[in-house]
Amino acid sequence: MKSYKLTDPSPTNARWLKKSYIDEQPPVEPSKPSGPFRTVFKESEGDLLLFVPRNEISRTINSLTGRYGYSHLAVDCGEIDVPSGRRVMLEVTMGLGVHYAFQDEYDKRPFVRIPLRESGMDVQKFCECVHAKVGEKFDNLEAVTLGILDNPARQICSDLATVCLPEEMRAKIARYHKRAVIHPRSAVRDVMRGSKLRLFMSPNGFAEFLGAPRGRELKGPDELAHPHVHEESHAEFFPKLWKLGDTFFTSAWLIMKRR
């Protein structure tokens, strides 16, 4: 795979960033946790937090990645901000890159909590990987191309979790994507040199793969959904036909939108 040199947003590429459907709206809670951070809720270590759209841009993100009902992802490693005692999460946003944020920073925005430890994952190792990403910058090119191109040294919201998944789970997601068990636009899979898999997952891809309820079914913030990964099989005919048709029309719309 080619390597791409990325730069921070500039006037020359600003128009492309506007067409990448990045949600730049600031959160309701403007302050950020200062740390230090301490693990208190071990039972929540490795939980995925998937947020529903909150404005027109995030609704477009949802539409472009499978229409399952989600547009943002964060990771809960069971930590609190010691000075305030408030629960924190790790997320990626355009201005701040990978950083800590308060879990209630989006106020009443509905989100679902999926405990990855119930899938058999080593969540301690998963969180160690996520922590190692803190401070990395936002990946402008990956956002613009919806996962087709990426810089491994930068991240977007769902990438924070994808790159830290065990290879066995990443391979399983790739098989589900190939068979259209999950929506074709919800993930991007690419075999790199040496047969190593590069995988991009949107929040919708995670939600569908892990069997979360659709975003429109959520009533408020922090709703628990136990992970339920279906047995490996080909997608049923009519759902697969709808996903393929939706992929075609969404791709055509995106091409027209960028002209």
Side-chain angles (χ1 to χ4, degrees), residues 50-52 62 67-70 110-115 203-204 206-220 222-228 230:
L50 302 177
F51 293 81
V52 304
N62 170 51
R67 305 175 194 273
Y68 203 83
Y70 299 93
F111 70 90
V112 66
R113 173 184 297 273
I114 306 176
N204 278 334
F206 274 107
E208 188 171 12
F209 176 73
L210 294 168
R214 289 186 175 272
R216 64 173 178 268
E217 298 175 25
L218 302 187
K219 304 302 181 184
D222 211 355
E223 292 193 21
L224 179 65
H226 301 285
H228 177 67
H230 299 286

Coordinates of all heavy atoms in Angstrom, one line a residue, residues 50-52 62 67-70 110-115 203-204 206-220 222-228 230:
L50 N -21.2 4.1 21.6 CA -21.6 4.4 20.3 C -22.8 5.5 20.4 O -23.8 5.2 21.0 CB -22.1 3.2 19.5 CG -21.1 2.1 19.4 CD1 -21.8 0.9 18.6 CD2 -19.9 2.5 18.6
F51 N -22.5 6.7 19.8 CA -23.4 7.8 19.9 C -24.3 8.0 18.6 O -23.8 7.8 17.5 CB -22.6 9.1 20.1 CG -21.9 9.1 21.5 CD1 -20.7 8.5 21.6 CD2 -22.4 9.8 22.5 CE1 -20.0 8.5 22.9 CE2 -21.8 9.9 23.7 CZ -20.6 9.2 23.9
V52 N -25.5 8.4 18.8 CA -26.4 8.6 17.7 C -26.1 10.0 17.1 O -25.5 10.8 17.8 CB -27.9 8.6 18.1 CG1 -28.2 7.2 18.8 CG2 -28.2 9.7 19.1
N62 N -24.0 9.0 9.3 CA -24.8 7.8 9.5 C -25.3 7.3 8.1 O -25.2 6.1 7.8 CB -25.9 8.0 10.4 CG -26.9 6.9 10.5 OD1 -26.6 5.7 10.7 ND2 -28.2 7.2 10.3
R67 N -26.5 3.5 7.6 CA -27.8 3.9 8.1 C -28.2 3.1 9.3 O -29.4 2.9 9.5 CB -28.9 3.8 7.0 CG -28.6 4.6 5.8 CD -29.6 4.4 4.7 NE -29.2 4.9 3.4 CZ -29.3 6.1 3.0 NH1 -29.9 7.0 3.8 NH2 -28.9 6.5 1.8
Y68 N -27.3 2.6 10.1 CA -27.7 1.8 11.3 C -28.1 2.7 12.5 O -28.7 2.2 13.4 CB -26.5 0.9 11.7 CG -27.0 -0.3 12.5 CD1 -27.5 -1.5 11.9 CD2 -26.9 -0.3 13.9 CE1 -27.9 -2.6 12.6 CE2 -27.3 -1.4 14.6 CZ -27.8 -2.6 14.0 OH -28.2 -3.6 14.7
G69 N -27.7 4.0 12.4 CA -28.1 4.9 13.5 C -27.1 5.5 14.3 O -27.4 6.2 15.3
Y70 N -25.8 5.4 14.0 CA -24.7 5.9 14.8 C -23.7 6.7 14.0 O -23.5 6.4 12.8 CB -24.0 4.7 15.6 CG -24.9 4.0 16.5 CD1 -25.5 2.8 16.0 CD2 -25.1 4.4 17.8 CE1 -26.4 2.1 16.9 CE2 -26.0 3.7 18.6 CZ -26.6 2.5 18.2 OH -27.5 1.8 19.0
P110 N -28.2 10.5 23.1 CA -28.3 9.0 23.4 C -27.1 8.3 22.9 O -26.5 8.6 21.9 CB -29.5 8.6 22.6 CG -30.3 9.8 22.4 CD -29.3 10.9 22.3
F111 N -26.6 7.3 23.7 CA -25.6 6.4 23.3 C -25.7 5.0 23.9 O -26.4 4.9 24.9 CB -24.2 7.0 23.6 CG -23.8 7.0 25.0 CD1 -23.1 6.0 25.6 CD2 -24.0 8.2 25.8 CE1 -22.7 6.0 27.0 CE2 -23.6 8.3 27.1 CZ -23.0 7.2 27.7
V112 N -25.2 4.0 23.2 CA -25.3 2.7 23.7 C -23.9 2.2 24.2 O -22.9 2.6 23.7 CB -25.8 1.7 22.6 CG1 -24.8 1.6 21.5 CG2 -26.1 0.3 23.2
R113 N -23.9 1.4 25.3 CA -22.7 0.9 25.9 C -22.6 -0.6 25.6 O -23.5 -1.3 25.9 CB -22.7 1.2 27.4 CG -21.6 0.5 28.2 CD -21.7 0.7 29.6 NE -21.7 2.1 30.0 CZ -20.6 2.8 30.2 NH1 -19.4 2.2 30.2 NH2 -20.6 4.1 30.5
I114 N -21.5 -1.0 24.9 CA -21.3 -2.4 24.6 C -20.1 -2.9 25.3 O -19.0 -2.5 25.0 CB -21.2 -2.6 23.1 CG1 -22.4 -2.0 22.3 CG2 -21.1 -4.1 22.7 CD1 -22.2 -2.0 20.8
P115 N -20.2 -3.8 26.3 CA -19.1 -4.3 27.1 C -18.3 -5.4 26.3 O -18.8 -6.5 26.1 CB -19.7 -4.9 28.3 CG -21.1 -5.2 28.0 CD -21.5 -4.2 26.9
P203 N -18.7 3.6 13.2 CA -19.5 3.3 14.4 C -20.7 2.4 14.0 O -21.1 1.5 14.8 CB -20.0 4.6 14.9 CG -18.9 5.6 14.5 CD -18.4 5.1 13.2
N204 N -21.3 2.6 12.8 CA -22.4 1.7 12.4 C -21.9 0.3 12.2 O -22.6 -0.7 12.4 CB -22.9 2.2 11.1 CG -24.0 3.3 11.3 OD1 -24.6 3.4 12.4 ND2 -24.1 4.2 10.3
F206 N -19.5 -1.3 13.8 CA -19.4 -1.9 15.1 C -20.8 -2.3 15.7 O -21.0 -3.4 16.2 CB -18.7 -0.9 16.1 CG -17.2 -1.0 16.1 CD1 -16.4 0.0 15.5 CD2 -16.5 -2.1 16.7 CE1 -15.1 -0.1 15.5 CE2 -15.2 -2.2 16.7 CZ -14.4 -1.2 16.1
A207 N -21.7 -1.4 15.5 CA -23.0 -1.6 16.1 C -23.7 -2.8 15.4 O -24.3 -3.7 16.1 CB -23.9 -0.4 15.8
E208 N -23.6 -2.9 14.1 CA -24.2 -4.0 13.4 C -23.5 -5.3 13.7 O -24.1 -6.4 13.9 CB -24.2 -3.8 11.9 CG -25.0 -4.8 11.1 CD -25.2 -4.4 9.6 OE1 -24.6 -3.5 9.2 OE2 -26.0 -5.1 9.0
F209 N -22.2 -5.3 13.7 CA -21.4 -6.5 14.0 C -21.7 -7.1 15.4 O -21.8 -8.3 15.6 CB -19.9 -6.3 13.8 CG -19.0 -7.4 14.2 CD1 -18.9 -8.5 13.3 CD2 -18.3 -7.4 15.3 CE1 -18.1 -9.6 13.6 CE2 -17.5 -8.5 15.7 CZ -17.4 -9.6 14.8
L210 N -21.8 -6.2 16.3 CA -22.0 -6.6 17.7 C -23.4 -6.7 18.1 O -23.7 -7.0 19.3 CB -21.3 -5.6 18.7 CG -19.7 -5.5 18.5 CD1 -19.2 -4.3 19.3 CD2 -19.1 -6.8 19.1
G211 N -24.3 -6.6 17.2 CA -25.7 -6.8 17.5 C -26.4 -5.8 18.3 O -27.3 -6.1 19.1
A212 N -25.9 -4.5 18.3 CA -26.5 -3.4 19.1 C -27.9 -3.1 18.5 O -28.1 -3.3 17.3 CB -25.6 -2.2 19.1
P213 N -28.8 -2.5 19.3 CA -30.0 -2.0 18.7 C -29.8 -0.8 17.8 O -28.7 -0.1 17.9 CB -30.8 -1.5 20.0 CG -29.7 -1.2 21.0 CD -28.7 -2.2 20.7
R214 N -30.6 -0.6 16.9 CA -30.5 0.5 16.0 C -30.6 1.8 16.8 O -31.3 1.9 17.8 CB -31.5 0.5 14.8 CG -31.3 -0.6 13.8 CD -32.2 -0.6 12.7 NE -31.9 -1.6 11.7 CZ -31.0 -1.4 10.7 NH1 -30.4 -0.2 10.5 NH2 -30.8 -2.4 9.8
G215 N -29.9 2.9 16.3 CA -29.8 4.1 17.0 C -31.1 4.7 17.3 O -31.3 5.3 18.4
R216 N -32.1 4.6 16.4 CA -33.4 5.2 16.6 C -34.2 4.5 17.8 O -35.2 5.1 18.3 CB -34.2 5.1 15.3 CG -34.6 3.7 14.9 CD -35.5 3.7 13.7 NE -35.8 2.4 13.2 CZ -35.2 1.8 12.3 NH1 -34.2 2.4 11.7 NH2 -35.5 0.5 11.9
E217 N -33.7 3.3 18.2 CA -34.4 2.6 19.3 C -34.0 3.1 20.7 O -34.6 2.8 21.7 CB -34.1 1.1 19.2 CG -34.7 0.5 17.9 CD -34.3 -1.0 17.8 OE1 -34.1 -1.6 18.8 OE2 -34.3 -1.5 16.7
L218 N -32.9 3.9 20.8 CA -32.4 4.4 22.1 C -33.3 5.5 22.6 O -33.7 6.3 21.9 CB -30.9 4.9 21.9 CG -29.9 3.9 21.4 CD1 -28.5 4.5 21.5 CD2 -29.9 2.6 22.2
K219 N -33.4 5.5 23.9 CA -34.3 6.5 24.6 C -33.5 7.5 25.3 O -34.0 8.6 25.6 CB -35.2 5.8 25.6 CG -36.1 4.7 25.0 CD -37.0 5.1 23.9 CE -37.8 4.0 23.3 NZ -38.6 4.4 22.2
G220 N -32.2 7.3 25.6 CA -31.4 8.2 26.3 C -29.9 7.8 26.3 O -29.6 6.8 25.7
D222 N -26.3 6.2 27.7 CA -25.8 5.1 28.4 C -26.7 4.0 28.6 O -27.0 3.4 29.7 CB -25.3 5.6 29.8 CG -24.2 4.8 30.4 OD1 -23.8 3.8 29.7 OD2 -23.7 5.1 31.5
E223 N -27.3 3.5 27.5 CA -28.1 2.3 27.5 C -27.2 1.1 27.2 O -26.4 1.1 26.3 CB -29.2 2.4 26.4 CG -30.2 3.5 26.7 CD -31.5 3.3 25.8 OE1 -31.7 2.2 25.3 OE2 -32.2 4.3 25.7
L224 N -27.4 0.0 28.0 CA -26.5 -1.1 27.9 C -27.1 -2.1 26.9 O -28.2 -2.4 26.8 CB -26.5 -1.9 29.3 CG -25.7 -3.1 29.4 CD1 -24.2 -2.9 29.1 CD2 -25.9 -3.8 30.7
A225 N -26.1 -2.6 26.0 CA -26.5 -3.6 25.0 C -25.4 -4.7 25.1 O -24.2 -4.4 24.8 CB -26.6 -3.0 23.6
H226 N -25.8 -5.9 25.4 CA -24.8 -7.0 25.5 C -24.4 -7.4 24.0 O -25.3 -7.5 23.2 CB -25.4 -8.2 26.2 CG -25.8 -7.9 27.6 ND1 -24.9 -7.7 28.6 CD2 -27.0 -7.6 28.2 CE1 -25.5 -7.4 29.8 NE2 -26.8 -7.3 29.5
P227 N -23.1 -7.6 23.8 CA -22.7 -8.0 22.4 C -23.2 -9.3 22.0 O -23.3 -10.3 22.8 CB -21.2 -8.0 22.6 CG -20.9 -8.2 24.0 CD -22.0 -7.6 24.7
H228 N -23.7 -9.3 20.8 CA -24.3 -10.6 20.3 C -23.9 -10.7 18.8 O -24.5 -10.1 17.9 CB -25.8 -10.6 20.4 CG -26.5 -11.8 19.8 ND1 -26.3 -13.0 20.3 CD2 -27.3 -11.9 18.7 CE1 -27.0 -13.9 19.5 NE2 -27.6 -13.2 18.6
H230 N -23.6 -12.7 15.5 CA -24.2 -13.9 14.9 C -23.2 -14.9 14.4 O -22.1 -14.6 14.1 CB -25.1 -13.4 13.7 CG -26.2 -12.5 14.2 ND1 -27.3 -12.9 14.8 CD2 -26.3 -11.1 14.0 CE1 -28.1 -11.8 15.1 NE2 -27.5 -10.7 14.6

